[in-house]
Amino acid sequence: MSSRLPVAVLGATGSVGQRFVQLLDQHPLFEVVALTSSDRRSGQPYGESCRWVLTDPMPEWAKTIRLSPTTPEDLHIPLVFSALPADIAREVEPQFAQAGTMVCSNASSYRREADIPILLPEVNADHARLVEIQRRKRGWRGGIVTNPNCTSTGMTVVLKALLDSFGVQKVFAVSMQAISGAGYPGVPSMDILDNVIPYIGGEEEKVETEPLKMLGALQHDTIQPASFVISAHTNRVAVSDGHTVCLSIELVKKASLDEIAQVLQTYQAPTESQNLPSAPHPPIILRDEADRPQPRLDRMSGKGMSTVVGRLRKDPIYDIKMVVLSHNTIRGAAGGSIYNAELLRSMGFI
Amino acid sequence: MSSRLPVAVLGATGSVGQRFVQLLDQHPLFEVVALTSSDRRSGQPYGESCRWVLTDPMPEWAKTIRLSPTTPEDLHIPLVFSALPADIAREVEPQFAQAGTMVCSNASSYRREADIPILLPEVNADHARLVEIQRRKRGWRGGIVTNPNCTSTGMTVVLKALLDSFGVQKVFAVSMQAISGAGYPGVPSMDILDNVIPYIGGEEEKVETEPLKMLGALQHDTIQPASFVISAHTNRVAVSDGHTVCLSIELVKKASLDEIAQVLQTYQAPTESQNLPSAPHPPIILRDEADRPQPRLDRMSGKGMSTVVGRLRKDPIYDIKMVVLSHNTIRGAAGGSIYNAELLRSMGFI
Amino acid sequence: MSSRLPVAVLGATGSVGQRFVQLLDQHPLFEVVALTSSDRRSGQPYGESCRWVLTDPMPEWAKTIRLSPTTPEDLHIPLVFSALPADIAREVEPQFAQAGTMVCSNASSYRREADIPILLPEVNADHARLVEIQRRKRGWRGGIVTNPNCTSTGMTVVLKALLDSFGVQKVFAVSMQAISGAGYPGVPSMDILDNVIPYIGGEEEKVETEPLKMLGALQHDTIQPASFVISAHTNRVAVSDGHTVCLSIELVKKASLDEIAQVLQTYQAPTESQNLPSAPHPPIILRDEADRPQPRLDRMSGKGMSTVVGRLRKDPIYDIKMVVLSHNTIRGAAGGSIYNAELLRSMGFI
Amino acid sequence: MSSRLPVAVLGATGSVGQRFVQLLDQHPLFEVVALTSSDRRSGQPYGESCRWVLTDPMPEWAKTIRLSPTTPEDLHIPLVFSALPADIAREVEPQFAQAGTMVCSNASSYRREADIPILLPEVNADHARLVEIQRRKRGWRGGIVTNPNCTSTGMTVVLKALLDSFGVQKVFAVSMQAISGAGYPGVPSMDILDNVIPYIGGEEEKVETEPLKMLGALQHDTIQPASFVISAHTNRVAVSDGHTVCLSIELVKKASLDEIAQVLQTYQAPTESQNLPSAPHPPIILRDEADRPQPRLDRMSGKGMSTVVGRLRKDPIYDIKMVVLSHNTIRGAAGGSIYNAELLRSMGFI
């Protein structure tokens, strides 16, 4: 046990913070030694000051950890997972990076910076090298690596597989997103019971841009974004966990449904990402039932880390239609960030 | 009261049948004198044999009507509303048409027949003239007129307004549909609580074809379908009533968002449809809040007959994106069929 | 129109405030001339500053009313409906009463005061005379009258009917309450989707005491509470509107189920309450289906003002069991308060 | 692996049958070698003919098992788990018992028979000896043992602890039950979305009688039921899994809340039940938060086998009130039956 790397979770009392705590329970590489809180609860035991909202119970070891302030001086630690709100993350994460800590962040604050990767190990493990540029240019001894927006995650894995084999020209993406994506207390129940909210602030912009950065090429210290176009509609529905995305995709090179199915099913992560503890096997699960994937039935596939695809069929305008599902607070948030940290560790950045 | 036209509802005990009964309560033109049931419940009072599932209570007059068999000989009536299942409708509706009854049907059985209109009074009132062709070619004294699939309804009104002013080339449509669209018992609760079902049998085909027929031109006794293309994804969500559709639309003639908003807000139904009892005023309600329309808040706009549009914005691939909502069992089923009957009556077909 | 009494709604932007506005639309006796807001939104048009959460649209006249501050000097009005939060109500309502305004309040702040009635027109219309005592003892020219907690409402009507005919000794009451009872934003969706919350702060105490005051006798300027005992469990469930209460009741005088059914069905409000605009006819609807009442199907009975009872049956410990439903934001809040005002007006207190 | 006892699941394609399959995955004592289906699907692979409704995926080994007919001649097996509908169970289960098979049944068909135990290992392990009487009187070589109705399960564990220490006189029990209790397709979504159904056919009778049998004493080959009285109201709510029960309990011997809490927290199962694979430790979890237990957060406590109690407080009529939660398809169905089988095996009945 003592050989595990000591880590902290920043913003550990929120819903994503809780997922970090739950998913890091008995992690083979990382051992949580500190939990921080963004408010004046410092010093209180996590078990008392955190309103736990997950169905899996709070790990025993977490209950007695006393909350720390979210400052590098108080932690001195090689790796932190950040579940901070965007405004606090913007201020605090560079302080950690400066102090020599690697920050694996779920916040959106730095995703658009040229030298900060949005990392998805199955897709762009090579973008991790941007950490070297951060260190060179910013003088950081640590670094910041982000995971993508929860809605972008699944569809980007699928688009990577298609891009490599056929090229991608245009994508229509319409999401039906879970309430847990809005945190806690998040969406008022009166807004979502017997209802759909066809709007999530800032989400469509993220879905239209983040995949292009992730699918871009790292050239001369810069990422050249992928050159296709995405149009997104994002909606909130009465689902606890699991984001469902309907995709219509125009490819560059025409292909049969069988060829496409074959490419999705056999897609492999880059070598350096394949054997990490959080890596889903296979990265993409293709289901052939008429009515799958469904969030309640499929979100926990691969311990919540798989990208589940179904309803692959011809599109009357573009080439293909399909439905993509991934777990938004596991794969699309805490689990994704942990997978990133595993990759960074194996590449020697931590 | 006695001057109202006597009408019957076929298949009156199902959920759409119940909507017919509720919406025909105190109708100024039509008086329900008979209710039929597809099974052996003939002779039983409607109030006892119908498991009423609507929030508005069953009208008093309906409770005592004894169920009739669904046969023209038993009814002898100028107008019937058909809420029959597709297979029974296919067999029975022509018998009524033959016997001199006008059938306003919610069933999909005859929507694809060349001489049977899918009628939407704000859109294609002139298609009602197909009834003349039915009579000429089939020797019917009555006729069959259908209303569109519940998901096609709202989007077709919007597409008509855009087609007239700008032309339409391509449409992506992704629906989030209410459970009432599947009838009763319909969707099992275990399938939809905390879930999305990304599949509704036969629905995508209807959404991709019915609007083209409705938006087509009646020439030489035939409808020439509109020549653009629709790609549809249809999904079931945990909403009681109200279908929400995300649309991305490519126009022929470029237009600003202001011009498009102006066209939607000022759209008028054809003259013959404007002053009928069920006509919504205006046909299209354009909302400018960031997060509307929502089914719970907007489905009852215009007594459930309006098409509500919101989130009109630029699309990065096509010209515009928007969200369209209409009430699936009022506007998209029973209410739409009653509006059709009002039109047929005013045009002299009944 | 001009002969209607001018009224104001205090705290008009919250969810109960909105119900007041909706239910006062075209009210035969009252005309809304002012709407107040508890915050700095004074001067803004209601239509712009209120996030409307009801399915019925905001009345047109309300949209242009500019919000007033919640102070008597700014209003000078004979009647106000208070939808204020308890702490603000505690401070402000006596100021209005002092200034000559009758306050019909939905707040719980003064329900326990000896000279302030919890008024339910079908039950204790005579308690309205406490207003005279308020005026005598407190020197008020107006007065304060409260409506009961939303969960107490329906069960108290039923208990009144039973008390009059058979006497009541003990009552077990277990509620399943709608989310609208917690206001907006109120219950977070993550707390109630696929869940029950078996706790509502302060609610059980109200349900155990308020009915006893309402069912008490007004003697020598004081209410002598009814002498039976109530034990309550209160729960929150995933229902938008409508509180369901399971009751087990021990009577003083034994009675057959038929006798009890007869008493419930024929129960009449006191004479002075019977012909008011909001009076439900009959006050109690007794349903004999095995599975009613249900909130979705029965909450709008009597325009949301009826008490709906079902599942009347023998109890193996006490005498009878039943299920009682009433609409929590209509009958149990705004509608109840309006009914109270109608009573006070007809009795000459306004 | 080969030392595990071969078992079959009868009625394996339904929702409880699926739970048996899932919970028996990698069971240390039992190995599933056959799955039966009540219809003409015999011979089909389970993976193809079963519409799996659980969030945990179907075990790989189950997919290829071909469905058998539900007849003893086809199985020849020492132990079967029965998830059959009551009418089929009534006919088939004795055939298996006759043929030498021990039937651990979730069906209610034989729960009322004098010589067939309703077995709850934490409560009445000694009732397992009724199998000897079955064999003696009926000539069976196997036997039938049932698990209780899902709603009775948790409350009976609690009542056992109280009965032993304080005696129990009267119990009011009001349930809020999950939709999975009705099987699949079960409850139509239109009946439960935004709704409560205050009725479950036959359920109140079971809740009022089964605990008395389980808590009775086995004397001279007969069970003498416990002598207190239970009054039950049973309701269906929009929860996927987990039955919540509000209890008010009158004890024989008065006790403080602390004493009662102590008794619940330290309750131990009979010795023979304590170290079995499915035994929850502790049997009863007492939570002290104001708003627990909640189905979404607590149903999986102890892998779904624990009884979770909260809101222990004084009752104004009886002695105490509390809320009890247990997982209805794990503890209250398949998991409970497996725990029974483990007990029967350890006692030598299998």
Side-chain angles (χ1 to χ4, degrees):
Chain A
M1 276 315 237
S2 58
S3 69
R4 296 192 298 166
L5 191 74
V7 304
V9 177
L10 311 185
T13 58
S15 62
V16 173
Q18 294 179 24
R19 271 288 182 210
F20 273 116
V21 170
Q22 182 226 328
L23 294 173
L24 288 166
D25 184 34
Q26 304 186 34
H27 191 279
L29 303 180
F30 307 130
E31 178 174 13
V32 177
V33 297
L35 300 170
T36 85
S37 169
S38 53
D39 58 15
R40 287 139 299 180
R41 288 182 285 183
S42 284
Q44 293 180 24
Y46 186 67
E48 288 172 25
S49 62
C50 171
R51 183 187 164 83
W52 189 257
V53 297
L54 302 181
T55 54
D56 297 281
M58 184 187 290
E60 285 303 315
W61 54 261
K63 291 182 183 173
T64 52
I65 292 183
R66 290 185 183 273
L67 288 168
S68 310
T70 310
T71 46
E73 309 82 65
D74 289 280
L75 293 174
H76 290 298
I77 203 160
L79 172 64
V80 297
F81 294 101
S82 166
L84 297 168
D87 53 340
I88 298 174
R90 174 158 287 284
E91 185 191 336
V92 169
E93 291 179 359
Q95 299 170 1
F96 279 90
Q98 179 75 39
T101 298
M102 179 63 69
V103 181
C104 285
S105 175
N106 185 57
S108 61
S109 318
Y110 290 98
R111 287 189 200 141
R112 297 188 175 208
E113 299 282 313
D115 60 346
I116 295 186
I118 308 176
L119 197 61
L120 206 48
E122 298 99 317
V123 167
N124 62 345
D126 59 317
H127 288 200
R129 304 215 170 277
L130 283 176
V131 171
E132 294 166 4
I133 299 165
Q134 292 173 23
R135 292 177 177 176
R136 183 157 21 103
K137 292 196 179 166
R138 299 183 187 245
W140 290 348
R141 289 182 299 122
I144 299 178
V145 163
T146 67
N147 58 275
N149 166 277
C150 49
T151 309
S152 304
T153 306
M155 60 186 272
T156 302
V157 177
V158 167
L159 290 173
K160 170 65 175 171
L162 298 176
L163 192 65
D164 284 356
S165 295
F166 311 111
V168 170
Q169 289 199 66
K170 287 173 191 162
V171 178
F172 273 102
V174 180
S175 72
M176 292 170 286
Q177 300 183 214
I179 55 175
S180 60
Y184 184 86
V187 181
S189 55
M190 288 184 68
D191 280 350
I192 203 68
L193 177 67
D194 188 14
N195 208 14
V196 165
I197 310 175
Y199 174 72
I200 300 171
E203 192 80 354
E204 293 174 354
E205 293 74 9
K206 292 176 191 165
V207 175
E208 293 179 350
T209 58
E210 291 186 8
L212 304 182
K213 179 172 177 181
M214 286 186 273
L215 295 167
L218 180 57
Q219 294 170 328
H220 311 299
D221 295 5
T222 319
I223 291 170
Q224 192 62 32
S227 59
F228 60 90
V229 194
I230 300 172
S231 168
H233 296 249
T234 58
N235 303 282
R236 187 78 67 193
V237 295
V239 164
S240 64
D241 289 306
H243 287 357
T244 307
V245 183
C246 294
L247 292 177
S248 282
I249 302 171
E250 186 165 47
L251 303 172
V252 174
K253 184 178 146 196
K254 298 307 156 191
S256 71
L257 290 178
D258 280 352
E259 288 168 320
I260 291 162
Q262 178 73 7
V263 158
L264 294 174
Q265 285 176 304
T266 60
Y267 180 72
Q268 291 298 329
T271 315
E272 55 268 51
S273 306
Q274 285 179 17
N275 297 314
L276 300 172
S278 298
H281 300 288
I284 297 171
I285 295 172
L286 180 65
R287 301 203 63 122
D288 57 7
E289 300 93 331
D291 60 355
R292 300 289 278 269
Q294 294 178 19
R296 194 175 74 83
L297 298 179
D298 296 310
R299 62 192 167 208
M300 288 309 296
S301 298
K303 299 186 180 170
M305 291 296 288
S306 297
T307 297
V308 188
V309 179
R311 301 208 69 217
L312 179 64
R313 59 208 194 281
K314 283 281 173 198
D315 186 292
I317 299 180
Y318 286 174
D319 292 288
I320 47 169
K321 295 181 197 177
M322 66 181 72
V323 178
V324 175
L325 177 84
S326 72
H327 195 298
N328 56 303
T329 65
I330 298 180
R331 184 55 215 245
S337 225
I338 293 170
Y339 191 6
N340 284 346
E342 294 164 3
L343 176 63
L344 292 166
R345 174 87 163 142
S346 79
M347 292 175 82
F349 287 107
I350 306 174
Chain B
M1 279 314 238
S2 58
S3 68
R4 297 192 296 167
L5 191 76
V7 304
V9 177
L10 312 184
T13 58
S15 62
V16 173
Q18 293 179 25
R19 272 287 182 208
F20 274 117
V21 170
Q22 181 226 329
L23 294 173
L24 288 166
D25 184 33
Q26 304 187 37
H27 191 278
L29 304 179
F30 307 130
E31 178 173 13
V32 176
V33 298
L35 299 169
T36 85
S37 168
S38 52
D39 58 16
R40 287 138 302 181
R41 287 182 285 184
S42 283
Q44 293 181 21
Y46 186 68
E48 288 172 25
S49 61
C50 170
R51 182 186 164 84
W52 190 258
V53 296
L54 303 181
T55 54
D56 299 282
M58 186 187 288
E60 284 303 315
W61 54 259
K63 292 181 181 173
T64 53
I65 292 183
R66 288 182 184 277
L67 288 168
S68 311
T70 309
T71 46
E73 311 81 65
D74 289 279
L75 291 175
H76 289 300
I77 203 159
L79 171 64
V80 297
F81 294 101
S82 167
L84 296 168
D87 54 339
I88 300 174
R90 172 157 289 283
E91 184 190 339
V92 171
E93 289 179 359
Q95 297 170 2
F96 279 89
Q98 179 75 40
T101 298
M102 178 61 69
V103 181
C104 286
S105 175
N106 185 58
S108 63
S109 320
Y110 290 99
R111 287 189 201 144
R112 296 187 176 210
E113 298 281 314
D115 61 346
I116 294 186
I118 308 176
L119 198 60
L120 205 48
E122 298 99 318
V123 166
N124 63 347
D126 60 316
H127 289 198
R129 304 217 170 276
L130 283 176
V131 172
E132 292 166 4
I133 299 165
Q134 291 173 23
R135 291 176 178 177
R136 183 152 27 97
K137 291 197 177 162
R138 299 184 187 244
W140 288 349
R141 290 181 299 121
I144 299 177
V145 164
T146 67
N147 57 274
N149 166 277
C150 49
T151 309
S152 303
T153 305
M155 61 186 271
T156 303
V157 177
V158 166
L159 290 172
K160 171 64 175 172
L162 297 176
L163 192 64
D164 285 357
S165 295
F166 311 110
V168 169
Q169 288 199 68
K170 288 173 189 160
V171 178
F172 273 102
V174 179
S175 71
M176 292 170 286
Q177 301 184 214
I179 55 175
S180 59
Y184 184 86
V187 182
S189 55
M190 287 184 69
D191 280 349
I192 203 67
L193 177 68
D194 188 14
N195 208 14
V196 165
I197 311 173
Y199 173 73
I200 301 171
E203 192 80 353
E204 293 174 353
E205 294 73 10
K206 292 176 191 166
V207 174
E208 292 179 350
T209 58
E210 292 186 7
L212 304 181
K213 178 172 177 180
M214 287 186 272
L215 294 168
L218 180 58
Q219 294 170 329
H220 312 298
D221 295 6
T222 317
I223 290 170
Q224 192 64 29
S227 58
F228 60 91
V229 193
I230 300 172
S231 168
H233 296 250
T234 58
N235 303 283
R236 188 78 69 193
V237 294
V239 164
S240 63
D241 289 306
H243 287 358
T244 306
V245 184
C246 294
L247 292 177
S248 284
I249 303 172
E250 186 165 48
L251 303 173
V252 174
K253 184 178 146 196
K254 299 307 157 190
S256 71
L257 290 179
D258 280 351
E259 288 168 321
I260 290 161
Q262 177 72 5
V263 158
L264 295 174
Q265 284 177 305
T266 60
Y267 181 73
Q268 290 299 328
T271 314
E272 55 269 49
S273 305
Q274 287 180 14
N275 298 311
L276 300 173
S278 297
H281 300 289
I284 297 171
I285 295 172
L286 181 65
R287 302 202 63 122
D288 56 9
E289 299 93 331
D291 60 354
R292 301 287 279 270
Q294 294 178 19
R296 195 176 73 84
L297 297 179
D298 296 310
R299 63 193 169 210
M300 288 308 295
S301 298
K303 298 184 181 172
M305 291 297 286
S306 297
T307 297
V308 188
V309 179
R311 301 208 70 216
L312 179 63
R313 60 208 193 280
K314 284 280 172 198
D315 186 291
I317 299 180
Y318 286 175
D319 293 289
I320 47 170
K321 295 181 195 177
M322 66 179 74
V323 178
V324 175
L325 177 84
S326 72
H327 195 298
N328 58 302
T329 66
I330 298 181
R331 184 54 217 246
S337 226
I338 293 170
Y339 191 8
N340 284 347
E342 293 165 3
L343 176 63
L344 293 166
R345 174 86 162 142
S346 79
M347 291 175 81
F349 286 108
I350 305 173
Chain C
M1 277 310 240
S2 57
S3 68
R4 297 192 296 165
L5 191 75
V7 304
V9 177
L10 310 184
T13 57
S15 63
V16 173
Q18 293 179 23
R19 270 289 182 209
F20 274 117
V21 169
Q22 182 226 329
L23 294 172
L24 288 166
D25 184 34
Q26 304 188 34
H27 191 280
L29 303 179
F30 307 131
E31 177 175 11
V32 177
V33 298
L35 300 170
T36 85
S37 168
S38 55
D39 58 17
R40 287 140 299 180
R41 286 182 285 184
S42 284
Q44 292 181 22
Y46 186 68
E48 287 172 24
S49 61
C50 170
R51 183 186 162 84
W52 189 258
V53 297
L54 303 180
T55 53
D56 298 282
M58 184 187 290
E60 284 302 317
W61 53 261
K63 292 181 182 173
T64 53
I65 293 183
R66 288 182 183 274
L67 288 168
S68 309
T70 309
T71 47
E73 310 81 64
D74 290 279
L75 292 175
H76 290 298
I77 203 161
L79 172 62
V80 297
F81 294 101
S82 167
L84 296 168
D87 54 340
I88 299 175
R90 174 156 288 281
E91 184 191 337
V92 169
E93 290 179 0
Q95 298 170 0
F96 279 89
Q98 180 73 39
T101 298
M102 180 61 70
V103 180
C104 285
S105 175
N106 185 57
S108 62
S109 320
Y110 290 99
R111 286 186 200 144
R112 296 187 176 209
E113 300 281 314
D115 61 346
I116 294 185
I118 307 176
L119 198 59
L120 207 45
E122 299 98 317
V123 166
N124 64 346
D126 61 316
H127 288 199
R129 303 214 171 280
L130 283 177
V131 172
E132 293 166 2
I133 298 164
Q134 292 173 23
R135 291 176 177 177
R136 184 157 20 102
K137 292 197 177 164
R138 298 183 187 244
W140 290 348
R141 290 182 298 123
I144 300 178
V145 163
T146 67
N147 56 275
N149 166 277
C150 49
T151 310
S152 304
T153 305
M155 60 185 273
T156 303
V157 176
V158 166
L159 290 172
K160 170 65 174 171
L162 298 175
L163 192 65
D164 285 357
S165 294
F166 311 111
V168 170
Q169 289 199 68
K170 286 173 192 161
V171 178
F172 273 102
V174 179
S175 72
M176 293 170 285
Q177 302 184 214
I179 54 174
S180 59
Y184 184 87
V187 181
S189 55
M190 286 185 68
D191 280 350
I192 204 66
L193 177 68
D194 188 15
N195 207 13
V196 165
I197 310 174
Y199 173 71
I200 301 171
E203 191 81 355
E204 292 174 356
E205 295 73 9
K206 293 176 191 167
V207 174
E208 291 180 351
T209 58
E210 292 185 7
L212 304 181
K213 178 173 178 179
M214 286 186 272
L215 295 168
L218 180 58
Q219 293 169 332
H220 312 299
D221 294 5
T222 319
I223 291 169
Q224 192 62 33
S227 58
F228 60 90
V229 194
I230 300 171
S231 168
H233 296 248
T234 58
N235 302 284
R236 188 77 68 193
V237 294
V239 165
S240 63
D241 290 305
H243 286 358
T244 306
V245 184
C246 294
L247 292 176
S248 282
I249 302 171
E250 187 165 47
L251 303 172
V252 174
K253 185 178 147 196
K254 299 305 158 193
S256 71
L257 289 179
D258 280 351
E259 289 167 322
I260 289 162
Q262 178 72 7
V263 157
L264 294 174
Q265 284 176 305
T266 61
Y267 180 72
Q268 290 298 329
T271 316
E272 56 269 50
S273 305
Q274 286 178 15
N275 298 312
L276 299 172
S278 297
H281 301 288
I284 298 170
I285 295 172
L286 181 65
R287 302 203 63 122
D288 57 7
E289 299 92 332
D291 60 354
R292 302 289 278 267
Q294 293 177 19
R296 195 176 72 85
L297 297 179
D298 296 311
R299 62 191 168 210
M300 288 308 296
S301 297
K303 298 185 181 169
M305 291 296 289
S306 298
T307 297
V308 188
V309 179
R311 302 209 66 215
L312 180 62
R313 60 209 194 280
K314 285 279 174 201
D315 185 293
I317 299 180
Y318 285 174
D319 292 288
I320 47 171
K321 293 181 198 177
M322 66 181 73
V323 179
V324 175
L325 176 85
S326 71
H327 195 298
N328 57 303
T329 65
I330 298 181
R331 185 53 215 249
S337 226
I338 294 170
Y339 191 7
N340 283 347
E342 293 164 3
L343 177 63
L344 293 166
R345 173 88 163 142
S346 79
M347 292 175 82
F349 286 106
I350 305 171
Chain D
M1 273 319 237
S2 57
S3 68
R4 297 191 296 165
L5 192 75
V7 304
V9 177
L10 311 184
T13 57
S15 62
V16 173
Q18 293 179 24
R19 271 287 182 209
F20 274 117
V21 171
Q22 182 226 330
L23 295 172
L24 288 166
D25 183 33
Q26 304 188 36
H27 192 278
L29 303 180
F30 307 131
E31 178 174 13
V32 178
V33 299
L35 300 170
T36 86
S37 167
S38 54
D39 57 17
R40 287 139 300 180
R41 287 182 284 183
S42 283
Q44 293 181 22
Y46 186 67
E48 286 172 25
S49 62
C50 170
R51 183 188 163 81
W52 190 258
V53 296
L54 303 180
T55 53
D56 297 281
M58 184 187 290
E60 284 302 316
W61 53 260
K63 292 181 181 172
T64 52
I65 292 183
R66 290 185 182 275
L67 289 167
S68 309
T70 309
T71 46
E73 310 82 63
D74 290 280
L75 291 175
H76 290 298
I77 203 159
L79 171 63
V80 297
F81 295 100
S82 166
L84 296 168
D87 54 339
I88 299 174
R90 174 156 287 284
E91 186 190 337
V92 170
E93 289 179 359
Q95 298 170 3
F96 279 89
Q98 181 73 42
T101 298
M102 179 62 69
V103 181
C104 285
S105 175
N106 184 57
S108 62
S109 320
Y110 290 99
R111 288 189 200 141
R112 297 186 177 212
E113 299 281 314
D115 60 347
I116 294 185
I118 308 177
L119 198 60
L120 205 48
E122 299 98 317
V123 166
N124 64 346
D126 60 315
H127 289 199
R129 306 214 169 278
L130 284 177
V131 172
E132 294 166 1
I133 300 165
Q134 292 173 24
R135 291 177 177 176
R136 182 156 21 102
K137 292 197 177 163
R138 299 183 188 245
W140 290 349
R141 291 181 298 123
I144 299 178
V145 164
T146 67
N147 58 275
N149 165 278
C150 48
T151 310
S152 303
T153 306
M155 60 186 273
T156 302
V157 177
V158 167
L159 290 171
K160 171 64 174 171
L162 297 176
L163 193 63
D164 285 357
S165 296
F166 311 110
V168 170
Q169 289 199 67
K170 287 172 191 161
V171 179
F172 273 103
V174 180
S175 72
M176 292 170 285
Q177 300 183 216
I179 55 175
S180 59
Y184 184 87
V187 182
S189 55
M190 287 185 67
D191 280 351
I192 203 68
L193 177 67
D194 188 13
N195 208 14
V196 165
I197 310 174
Y199 174 72
I200 300 171
E203 191 80 355
E204 292 174 356
E205 295 73 8
K206 292 176 191 165
V207 174
E208 291 179 351
T209 58
E210 292 186 7
L212 304 180
K213 179 173 178 180
M214 285 186 273
L215 295 168
L218 180 57
Q219 294 170 329
H220 312 298
D221 294 6
T222 319
I223 291 170
Q224 193 62 31
S227 59
F228 61 91
V229 194
I230 300 171
S231 168
H233 296 249
T234 58
N235 302 284
R236 188 77 69 193
V237 294
V239 165
S240 63
D241 290 305
H243 287 358
T244 307
V245 183
C246 294
L247 293 177
S248 283
I249 302 171
E250 187 165 48
L251 304 171
V252 174
K253 183 178 148 196
K254 298 307 157 191
S256 70
L257 290 180
D258 280 352
E259 289 168 320
I260 291 162
Q262 178 73 5
V263 158
L264 294 174
Q265 284 177 304
T266 59
Y267 180 73
Q268 290 298 329
T271 315
E272 56 267 52
S273 306
Q274 285 178 17
N275 298 312
L276 299 172
S278 298
H281 301 289
I284 298 172
I285 295 172
L286 181 64
R287 301 202 62 123
D288 56 7
E289 299 93 330
D291 60 355
R292 302 287 280 267
Q294 294 178 19
R296 194 175 72 84
L297 297 180
D298 296 311
R299 62 191 168 209
M300 288 309 294
S301 298
K303 297 185 181 171
M305 291 298 286
S306 297
T307 297
V308 188
V309 179
R311 299 208 71 215
L312 179 63
R313 60 207 193 280
K314 285 279 172 199
D315 185 294
I317 299 180
Y318 286 174
D319 293 288
I320 47 170
K321 296 180 196 176
M322 67 181 73
V323 178
V324 176
L325 177 84
S326 71
H327 194 298
N328 58 302
T329 65
I330 297 180
R331 185 54 217 247
S337 226
I338 293 170
Y339 191 8
N340 284 346
E342 292 164 4
L343 176 63
L344 292 166
R345 174 86 163 143
S346 79
M347 293 175 80
F349 287 107
I350 306 172

